[in-house]
Amino acid sequence: MFIQTESTPNPATLKFLPGRMVMGSGTAEFLNLEEAHSSPLAERLFGVPGVSGVFLGGDFVAVTKSSGEWPHIKPAILGAIMEHFMSGIPVLIEEPAGEDEDEFFEEGDAEIVGTIKELIETRVRPAVAQDGGDITFRGFRDGTVYLNMRGACSGCPSSTATLKHGIENLLRHYVPEVRDIRQVEA
């Protein structure tokens, strides 16, 4: 098994590509060992000293470190991912809680929200996934779009620029009602 790695815009996060599907659909994020109980892969990765976050995407695993240098941590992460996939144990044994938080918006804004969500799904999420992260719609109120950034995007030094210059400009272009974008926690 050959696992490729890619850097992300977040220097604390590295993207691992095992050459096979990780999640059939959707994503899962684990910020500590206690949250990782639903994923044997995430539990195994939290056993590597310095790992502070695991994000599972369609065909990648993004790992965030809290300490240490990548040249020292990377071999242990590669070994943990390889061991997991060679064992045949599933990536998830149950869906993680909190994947479908409630969205908020006024009923009269449903058409605007539909357009915003379509743009996020078709244009934003694929680009963000390339960087080892995910972004989801949380709400729309008084011209402000509320988004949740996860994986490599969470805590990334360039996430504010991505939100303000990339996503906000895109949404404002197609949806004139959008005046601002804000990041919210899940």
Side-chain angles (χ1 to χ4, degrees), residues 33-164:
L33 180 59
E34 293 74 35
E35 289 181 5
H37 73 277
S38 63
S39 172
L41 173 56
E43 281 185 320
R44 190 181 299 247
L45 289 168
F46 277 109
V48 175
V51 170
S52 63
V54 176
F55 183 79
L56 308 174
D59 65 348
F60 68 90
V61 177
V63 178
T64 302
K65 67 178 180 74
S66 60
S67 62
E69 298 299 321
W70 282 119
H72 299 107
I73 299 170
K74 186 175 162 182
I77 293 170
L78 287 167
I81 293 171
M82 188 176 299
E83 285 174 14
H84 175 80
F85 282 109
M86 300 304 268
S87 75
I89 298 170
V91 171
L92 286 178
I93 52 176
E94 62 184 57
E95 288 299 313
E99 192 66 20
D100 273 332
E101 292 90 1
D102 291 329
E103 297 174 351
F104 60 90
F105 57 89
E106 298 293 323
E107 201 172 302
D109 292 332
E111 189 174 328
I112 294 168
V113 167
T115 302
I116 291 168
K117 288 170 88 172
E118 180 182 348
L119 288 166
I120 290 169
E121 286 297 318
T122 60
R123 300 213 179 177
V124 177
R125 286 184 88 186
V128 171
Q130 289 294 321
D131 287 338
D134 193 20
I135 190 163
T136 53
F137 175 85
R138 299 283 27 111
F140 178 74
R141 183 180 299 133
D142 300 325
T144 300
V145 177
Y146 297 88
L147 301 172
N148 176 247
M149 299 178 88
R150 301 173 7 170
C153 298
S154 179
C156 176
S158 62
S159 65
T160 301
T162 299
L163 276 176
K164 291 296 180 186

